[in-house]
Amino acid sequence: MPLRDRRAAKGIGDFLIDTVGEAVAEVILSLLACALLGGLALIAYLSWTFSPRLTIAGAGLLSLVLAHGAWRTFRTPTKGRRRGLAAVTAFGFTATAATALFLLLYATDCDCL
């Protein structure tokens, strides 16, 4: 087998490995997104069946925390670092935004719910 044939076979093999790897990663990420979406739906359902008033109050409090985190994240930075509540709410907002982006990208074609 000449050298160029070996290189061509190696190139085809690498391409197939990359393609299969990407397909497997896509399936795993989609399953993770479906599981996360199902878990969030289950938490909302169980919370509502336990106490609708407490669920609405909790959603309102979470909205205030996320709004404070967004405000702290996007406002003009002051001298020094964020401390205390500002750091916690900014982290909570960032984590929530990342989770929403993940669900937007991978759970849109989730037919499990």
Side-chain angles (χ1 to χ4, degrees), residues 50-110:
F50 176 71
S51 173
R53 289 183 190 154
L54 196 57
T55 301
I56 292 173
L61 181 63
L62 181 64
S63 297
L64 286 175
V65 168
L66 292 177
H68 183 264
W71 179 63
R72 285 294 186 174
T73 299
F74 293 118
R75 74 174 241 195
T76 306
T78 58
K79 290 184 179 180
R81 297 181 357 190
R82 292 187 185 113
R83 297 194 181 176
L85 181 66
V88 171
T89 58
F91 174 76
F93 170 74
T94 305
T96 303
T99 303
L101 182 63
F102 173 72
L103 288 174
L104 179 69
L105 292 176
Y106 288 102
T108 51
D109 51 334
C110 181

Side-chain angles (χ1 to χ4, degrees), residues 1-77:
M1 184 177 222
L3 183 61
R4 76 168 189 235
D5 291 343
R6 286 186 193 150
R7 273 193 225 143
K10 185 178 181 327
I12 291 171
D14 289 344
F15 172 75
L16 287 175
I17 288 173
D18 287 344
T19 303
V20 170
E22 287 179 14
V24 168
E26 186 77 23
V27 167
I28 289 172
L29 287 173
S30 293
L31 287 175
L32 263 157
C34 276
L36 179 62
L37 192 59
L40 290 173
L42 180 66
I43 288 170
Y45 173 75
L46 291 176
S47 175
W48 187 262
T49 57
F50 176 71
S51 173
R53 289 183 190 154
L54 196 57
T55 301
I56 292 173
L61 181 63
L62 181 64
S63 297
L64 286 175
V65 168
L66 292 177
H68 183 264
W71 179 63
R72 285 294 186 174
T73 299
F74 293 118
R75 74 174 241 195
T76 306

